[in-house]
Amino acid sequence: MSTLQRILGKKIIFLDGATGTELQKKGMPQGVCPEKWCLDNPDIISGVHRDYIRSGANLVYSCTFGANQYKLEEYGIKDVRSVNRDLVRIAKHAVGPHGLVAGDVGPTGKFIEPFGPLLFEDAVNAFKEQIRGLLEGGADLIVIETMIDIQEARAALIAARELTDKPVFVTMTFEKDGRTLNGTDPVTALITLQSLGADAVGCNCSAGPKEMIPFIRSMYKYAKIPLIAKPNAGMPKLKDGKTVFDMKSAFFAAEGKKLILAGASIVGGCCGTTPVHIQALYQKTKTSKVRKPLLKSLSAVSSARKHLFLQKHSRALVIGECINPTGRKLFQKELFDGKMSLVRQFAREQEVAGADLLDVNVGAPGVVEEKIIQKALNILSVSTGSPLVVDSSKVEAVEKALRIYPGRAMINSISGEKEKLEKLLPIASKYGAMFILLPVAKSVPKTFKERKIIIQNVFEKAKKYGFTKQDFVVDGLVMSVSSLANAGVETIKTVDWCANTFKVNTVVGLSNVSFGMPCRSIINSTFLSMLEKRGLSTVIANPMRLKRQFSKLAEKLLLGKDKDAVRFISHYSKQKVLPKKTEKGATLEQKVYRAILEGNREEIKGLVSDLCKTGFAEQDVVHNIMIPAINQVGEFFDKKQYFLPQLVASAEAMKVAFEFIEPKLKKKKIKTEKKNVIILATVKGDIHDIGKNIVSLLLKNHGFEVIDLGKDVSADRIVNEIKKHKSPVVGLSALMTTTMVNMKDVIQKADQQNIKCRFMVGGAVITKAYAQSLGAEYSQDGVEAVRVAKELSKS
């Protein structure tokens, strides 16, 4: 640990004052290259450095403010590294063992993308060239100063952090209105830069000490690191055609003490200050007590112009979910064509509707996500002030996005999967991003207890990269109550424990809970209200559809107190076709039929048994009662008279009945029709398989032999299983736009090996057009999947 690192934040550190005005006093002509003039006049710049050390400064800035390739080339100088190296060496020799030298990095004079034409990586490389020279000269630290563009400050900071572990200070220049010329306020700059790895952040130039006090005071409340104040000697005045600073040293020192009281612990002077000002400041404040940073961590995100704290609000903050091409053909095509008009439109609409953050997912078929996400973020960084959430399952795309985003972003998401943890945690740490902790590992846990273990495991691994509980938001993991009756209860338990026991922020993807149900907005809004009472911090939702209403029936549904959603669907379904209860006097055949229609899993086995005891042949029970009943269920589903809970309940009742009756058929050696074989798999990279499992259940109900390979299945394994089972039909599913592309790999591999089989594909993101592009059939739900599978089995 260096001397500077030992004293940082523990004692007042005094910086030097202005260099340019001192050099002019000592004969530097107007219009020359200051760096070149100092190299030609080393004794003069050495004298300036020594004067400041004698005045009480602990460190001086090397005279390299404009020593980058863009500034030096204006004077015909190409050897950037040697200029920086030699000027640091002059400073080191001047201050001797009694002072430190900061390698000084100023702006390039150009605007950087997304705010200007200079490419971000070109800026990073230019700063690296300069910083390499500063380090070769022996700089004790790097100072990045007088920045008016947060993106340029980021480029320089990233360049420094990728070259050295030495301390890096960053100061921005704020105007009277409290913002940089690019619109960044002090707290937003602080959040962005301290999360990106700056060792100290603050303000320099453009303001006198009095004007700088509110900037420092506002930053101090949220600072994890020491603050820097390097003001001018008052505000500039025009006198005899020249700009002058006339603040007396005593007044400068008195105001400097107020800066320290406001929270600055690293102080010095900028334009117009002299060794006399620094000496007065030193004498006035050398015994001042350091106000140490108040915080160890901060739960906040930022854009270039705005910041947002995630601590408890009166309502959950809304993360707008509409910049997502899933299931939106027109948006997918626009992204494929590289167009951004819909990205802009969705951002604008969501902000107007009240979104606090914007989730950005631009993964689509045929799109190079690493490039398109950078393009989207650059567009949105200019067009919107809302902080952004980077949503991609591709590690490379996440890293590209975080590198160029001019703020502190949030990653959606990092799960408990080993590979994701090992790759994404270091990236999130490097760029200081917050992240959504998704409590999913090898599978999607259905219970709170399973999720709790994953959450704690991920936190333990994240701590090794410096993350605290303030740096992530836990996803309550919302699943559909239509397919998992207790889904709402488990999410409520997860959010409640996270917010009130584990003490972390939380988020839910709201609309998942109502998938497959009628009147989804009522379920969604009721669920949001229930979760907010447990302390929910943020919600991923469509802000245009987010309503505030509460339904007791929805509450019972979400608490698992409405079996098969019967009451809710009966009340809210327009058709109100809830099957009548089995009437008195019905025959056993009618009771079996109606048990399947009603999803009566508890009584179906007894009813079938009673029916067979009357002499009713088992094969007739199957063909004349059970199959017609499940077909009727399919028709109800097609007509939106039934919804997913009823479909699943009926399929499960059918399964119970068939498991009872099938052994009896075999025992009596009654030949059953040869079953058609179908292979099902959720493709590589995707662990969402609820839809595929429902399809599997329905196919079995309709007499298929289903070879279910599970989820996250590689193309090679699927192809091998096709060859093994000589299957004519293969069903592939995917939930995400980023994994749907893996369907193509499977079909291409099968085609390359001349395997004759038919494919059908489905999932939330899949469209008929996409299926056709693969040469596959499409099914939008389980009922249609059965029809498609039957057709494909005939051919």
Side-chain angles (χ1 to χ4, degrees), residues 226-268:
L227 297 179
I228 308 165
K230 208 167 188 282
N232 294 339
M235 301 305 289
K237 295 177 181 176
L238 199 61
K239 190 174 182 179
D240 299 330
K242 293 182 179 179
T243 301
V244 297
F245 296 87
D246 59 2
M247 181 177 284
K248 301 299 182 186
S249 60
F251 189 79
F252 180 84
E255 294 297 312
K257 188 160 188 173
K258 294 177 184 175
L259 279 168
I260 291 173
L261 289 172
S265 61
I266 303 170
V267 292

Side-chain angles (χ1 to χ4, degrees), residues 154 158 162 195-196 399 402-403 407 426-433:
R154 288 185 71 257
I158 288 172
E162 289 182 347
S195 66
L196 194 58
E399 181 164 20
L402 294 182
R403 190 169 178 84
I427 292 171
S429 175
K430 176 178 178 179
Y431 295 104

Side-chain angles (χ1 to χ4, degrees), residues 339-360:
K339 298 178 180 176
M340 289 287 131
S341 61
L342 286 179
V343 169
R344 283 192 181 90
Q345 177 186 327
F346 296 150
R348 184 171 60 253
E349 290 173 347
Q350 291 183 97
E351 281 194 312
V352 170
D356 301 290
L357 301 93
L358 299 175
D359 187 90
V360 182

Side-chain angles (χ1 to χ4, degrees), residues 113-158:
E113 66 172 348
F115 309 114
L118 182 60
L119 296 178
F120 185 76
E121 289 305 328
D122 286 350
V124 171
N125 290 330
F127 285 125
K128 279 187 174 179
E129 183 184 28
Q130 181 181 9
I131 293 168
R132 284 193 178 96
L134 298 171
L135 294 171
E136 287 172 2
D140 298 291
L141 69 153
I142 301 298
V143 164
I144 299 159
E145 62 153 319
T146 323
M147 290 288 168
I148 61 170
D149 175 3
I150 190 67
Q151 187 70 322
E152 185 165 26
R154 288 185 71 257
L157 180 54
I158 288 172

